[in-house]
Amino acid sequence: NAIMFIAENYARAYPELKVDHDKLRQLVLTAISSAALFCWVSVGPFGVQGVLAGLTGENMWAQRKNCSVPLWVSQIPGDGVAMLREFKRWLDGRRAIRVAGFAPDLDVDARTWKIVERLGFKPSGGAFLLYN
């Protein structure tokens, strides 16, 4: 429920899109229960305060799979990067995933992108990609 709350609040930043609560619940349940998907939370004094979710699927034009990050947010300073490090560690053990990445929001601190690049993600056409 905490992940749902965070995701729904995040989605409010995009008023052009209508949240499909049932679809979101199913994706969250799948992400936290499937070894093929990734979900990591950030926990603080008020409970879950951040989440990074990675959805793995077939690569449309290349061999092996891809993993996209549709949700990466944390209210706890430093935990966003910690979650990304865990995501990268998880990717390292999944050779079937060839590429992973995300398209960032515009209001992210530039220092974050430097850390993202140090972790191996490369800017590419408005996204940050990591080839595994």
Side-chain angles (χ1 to χ4, degrees):
N1 288 334
I3 296 170
M4 288 285 297
F5 180 76
I6 290 169
E8 288 172 354
N9 280 336
Y10 187 79
R12 285 191 184 98
Y14 303 95
E16 310 82 19
L17 304 175
K18 185 176 186 246
V19 175
D20 184 330
H21 300 282
D22 293 334
K23 182 187 277 185
L24 179 58
R25 178 167 295 287
Q26 186 58 45
L27 279 171
V28 168
L29 289 172
T30 303
I32 64 175
S33 62
S34 171
L37 305 180
F38 180 87
C39 190
W40 198 267
V41 296
S42 172
V43 179
F46 304 108
V48 175
Q49 293 183 272
V51 62
L52 188 151
L55 304 178
T56 303
E58 293 299 319
N59 194 323
M60 189 169 157
W61 57 81
Q63 295 177 344
R64 298 197 274 166
K65 298 181 181 296
N66 65 33
C67 187
S68 64
V69 175
L71 182 61
W72 178 36
V73 61
S74 179
Q75 299 303 316
I76 301 172
D79 276 9
V81 171
M83 289 188 293
L84 191 64
R85 282 189 181 109
E86 287 300 325
F87 178 62
K88 184 177 184 305
R89 191 178 348 253
W90 177 82
L91 282 170
D92 288 343
R94 282 157 180 78
R95 303 315 298 171
I97 299 173
R98 176 62 180 128
V99 64
F102 52 93
D105 285 339
L106 299 176
D107 61 347
V108 177
D109 189 307
R111 294 173 296 181
T112 301
W113 302 133
K114 290 180 182 176
I115 294 169
V116 166
E117 287 186 58
R118 266 190 257 137
L119 288 173
F121 291 82
K122 305 289 183 222
S124 178
F128 280 85
L129 301 178
L130 175 72
Y131 292 94
N132 198 13

